[in-house]
Amino acid sequence: MADLTLNEKKFLVALAPLGEAGAGDLAAALGTTEEAAVQYANLCAEHGLAAVERLSTTTYTLTPEGEEYREHGLPERQIYESFADAISMKDLQAHPLSRIGIGWLRKKGWVAITKGVAEKTGEAPAGEDEIALADPKDGMPGIADLLKRNLVEEHEAVSYRVAITPEGRALVEAGLDLVEETGTLSREEIITGSWREAKLRRYSLETPPKRVYPGKVHPYQRIIDEVKRVLLDMGFVEMQGEIVQSAFWDFDALFQPQDHPAREMQDTFYLDRTEPMPEGWERVRDMHLCGGETTSTGWGGVWDEEVAQKCVLRTHTTPLSVQYLISHPNPPVKAFALGRVYRREAIDPTHLPEFEQLEGIVMDEGVSFRHLLGFLKEFYNRMGFDEVRFRPGYFPYTEPSVEPEVWVDGLGWVELGGAGIFRQEVTAPWGIETPVLAWGLGISRIAMLRLGLKDLRQLYRSDIEWLRESPAIRRQE
């Protein structure tokens, strides 16, 4: 066979006298790696000259928690043996392993709970999981439960056996040309033309090479960097600010009433510290109570200075916009902030207690709602969303307000943030009379759409396979 490489020929010559051998033995005979020997074997197998058998052996080892339970017993077993025939739930829950063990007691039917009393149902012989825990081996019925409970770890060992076929043996016996092949030409060989006399190694363009996984920027960080680059190209500057903000900046300065549901403990992370009120805070107070010196009537009711002094983990990046406007009161201003925000959300595929938010503002003479829509459309177009539309929205600190939506194939129209013009109740206390366009959106939502994810948590997991397969750059259509 003229299309065999020198390595394949050497492999057949080494395999022929053995008839059948492991990849390790063949690698030693060839003076190469076991991985290379398997590659040569598979290439010979494609020509029908060898047969390759993949052998897999699964073993299990106990985790540190599993080791502890093998010595002392599973949590449910320890609890079961800690009382006689019956025990009150109050006493049962006082057991240090109750959070883990009570559910398993009920699942295994070892106890029945009636009117606040747990009573044993009879004997509790060792279950399949306890038998497997004592000496875990492949095929044992209880292994699956131990894996789910993270009490054992699974290890797969793969080996290969290679046998020469009659066709391969006949080829070796007929004689193989083992003249060294040239795989790379030197400068001198090309200049002198001596390459014409060399035996060149044959290459197959149909054989995929070994995949290489170089280091690269995390897909989510890459999108964050792209967002910043787009806004900088559009003439914006980046704002910076603290993660810990007083409730005054996070809520009050944005004309959010002190009895607003978003300010409750179940929605916001409050810290055990306070911050002094900034200069001019009285104008914000008056704005809440009666509208200050504007045409607004404010919220009325009661405004408590102590409530405003409490510190929170910022729930959005909008406080940075107000602080930036105060320090840059003269137009024009074009600025953005992109940072982590925190909310007391239940973790699920579309919600996390912390995520990245983008905030942008434009302040200039004569800017209008139409300019805001133009900025937003340009931004989303540059982020790869060709179709953008807007629908009316409501936010406490902007009026009018709008919610941008982009078209995503397979999903339809998807809402991506909120925007509007800062109300006079936000800007007037600081002497700002020029219109301020403002918008904000969760960058993680854009990342999910761009990366084709259905679970927001994927952005933060150390999933090596996903990181390897994610493209390093976005293809331009």
Side-chain angles (χ1 to χ4, degrees):
M1 277 192 182
D3 56 353
L4 287 180
T5 67
L6 179 62
N7 286 329
E8 293 166 28
K9 294 174 184 177
K10 288 182 176 180
F11 179 84
L12 288 175
V13 170
L15 178 61
L18 301 173
E20 180 179 342
D25 295 332
L26 291 168
L30 292 169
T32 186
T33 64
E34 188 170 334
E35 184 181 49
V38 173
Q39 181 184 7
Y40 303 153
N42 286 322
L43 291 172
C44 289
E46 291 178 6
H47 298 294
L49 305 176
V52 182
E53 182 182 8
R54 182 181 186 273
L55 304 173
S56 174
T57 303
T58 303
T59 59
Y60 298 90
T61 59
L62 295 175
T63 64
E65 188 178 11
E67 291 280 6
E68 180 182 346
Y69 292 157
R70 177 164 68 177
E71 181 178 354
H72 302 291
L74 289 172
E76 58 269 27
R77 176 64 65 184
Q78 294 185 51
I79 296 176
Y80 183 85
E81 295 178 349
S82 69
F83 65 96
D85 295 329
I87 187 174
S88 69
M89 283 301 296
K90 180 179 180 181
D91 292 337
L92 188 65
Q93 290 169 347
H95 194 284
L97 296 175
S98 61
R99 291 176 63 87
I100 303 174
I102 291 178
W104 283 99
L105 282 172
R106 300 183 65 177
K107 183 176 181 179
K108 292 182 175 182
W110 291 358
V111 299
I113 300 175
T114 307
K115 296 181 179 181
V117 176
E119 186 175 356
K120 291 183 178 179
T121 57
E123 297 297 326
E128 293 175 342
D129 52 354
E130 291 177 293
I131 296 172
L133 186 66
D135 187 17
K137 289 185 174 61
D138 189 28
M140 299 182 75
I143 287 291
D145 283 337
L146 297 181
L147 284 170
K148 292 178 182 177
R149 297 177 70 171
N150 197 33
L151 300 181
V152 297
E153 292 178 342
E154 186 177 80
H155 308 276
E156 182 185 26
V158 177
S159 60
Y160 294 87
R161 295 289 297 178
V162 186
I164 193 166
T165 64
E167 293 82 359
R169 187 175 295 281
L171 189 63
V172 173
E173 291 174 352
L176 289 170
D177 181 6
L178 298 180
V179 176
E180 287 291 336
E181 298 174 331
T182 299
T184 303
L185 296 178
S186 67
R187 178 175 179 273
E188 289 72 18
E189 288 174 317
I190 295 174
I191 293 175
T192 62
S194 62
W195 62 270
R196 295 185 179 89
E197 308 299 327
K199 184 175 179 60
L200 301 179
R201 182 181 302 166
R202 298 179 62 86
Y203 289 92
S204 171
L205 299 180
E206 297 178 355
T207 303
K210 178 182 177 181
R211 298 200 65 173
V212 177
Y213 299 103
K216 56 186 176 182
V217 178
H218 190 284
Y220 189 30
Q221 184 62 49
R222 194 167 63 246
I223 290 176
I224 289 175
D225 294 341
E226 181 183 350
V227 170
K228 290 184 177 183
R229 186 171 60 253
V230 166
L231 288 168
L232 291 172
D233 290 345
M234 291 175 66
F236 288 78
V237 297
E238 186 172 3
M239 303 180 285
Q240 302 288 344
E242 299 297 328
I243 289 176
V244 176
Q245 297 280 347
S246 68
F248 175 84
W249 290 117
D250 204 73
F251 300 117
D252 295 288
L254 296 170
F255 197 56
Q256 197 164 93
Q258 292 194 339
D259 60 355
H260 194 282
R263 300 180 67 153
E264 299 295 331
M265 294 290 289
Q266 62 266 25
D267 294 312
T268 302
F269 290 104
Y270 280 88
L271 305 179
D272 187 20
R273 57 179 283 189
T274 59
E275 280 195 5
M277 302 294 282
E279 184 179 351
W281 67 270
E282 297 89 349
R283 295 190 296 272
V284 173
R285 175 200 61 194
D286 295 343
M287 191 64 68
H288 280 253
L289 293 176
C290 61
E293 299 178 1
T294 70
T295 58
S296 172
T297 59
W299 296 111
V302 177
W303 192 89
D304 190 340
E305 181 181 346
E306 291 185 0
V307 171
Q309 290 177 328
K310 294 179 179 178
C311 287
V312 301
L313 293 180
R314 65 187 184 196
T315 62
H316 47 187
T317 48
T318 313
L320 307 186
S321 295
V322 176
Q323 294 165 359
Y324 191 84
L325 288 171
I326 293 172
S327 61
H328 300 77
N330 300 317
V333 170
K334 290 175 68 177
F336 76 93
L338 201 168
R340 184 72 59 92
V341 298
Y342 305 83
R343 298 177 188 174
R344 294 188 65 137
E345 298 272 11
I347 297 176
D348 62 33
T350 58
H351 296 86
L352 290 176
E354 54 182 288
F355 55 94
E356 278 68 34
Q357 186 181 51
L358 172 67
E359 182 81 19
I361 53 172
V362 174
M363 178 176 70
D364 203 357
E365 299 288 348
V367 294
S368 66
F369 193 65
R370 182 181 294 273
H371 291 98
L372 174 64
L373 301 186
F375 278 120
L376 292 172
K377 185 173 182 180
E378 178 67 16
F379 170 74
Y380 286 119
N381 286 165
R382 293 195 185 195
M383 289 303 299
F385 301 103
D386 296 328
E387 297 185 58
V388 184
R389 75 177 187 183
F390 306 94
R391 60 184 176 86
Y394 169 77
F395 303 101
Y397 37 88
T398 57
E399 179 62 35
S401 301
V402 68
E403 293 182 350
E405 295 181 337
V406 300
W407 178 265
V408 179
D409 291 339
L411 296 177
W413 290 104
V414 178
E415 179 264 317
L416 279 184
I421 300 178
F422 270 156
R423 296 173 61 116
Q424 61 177 345
E425 292 91 340
V426 176
T427 56
W430 312 108
I432 297 171
E433 299 179 356
T434 309
V436 180
L437 315 180
W439 71 90
L441 68 139
I443 293 299
S444 56
R445 179 72 64 87
I446 288 182
M448 288 181 67
L449 296 175
R450 284 273 301 273
L451 298 173
L453 303 179
K454 295 182 179 179
D455 192 329
L456 184 59
R457 293 167 290 189
Q458 183 70 39
L459 293 174
Y460 303 93
R461 287 176 177 152
S462 299
D463 186 338
I464 297 299
E465 188 65 25
W466 177 67
L467 294 175
R468 284 176 170 175
E469 296 299 328
S470 297
I473 60 173
R474 176 165 65 97
R475 294 190 298 271
Q476 299 292 334
E477 299 295 337

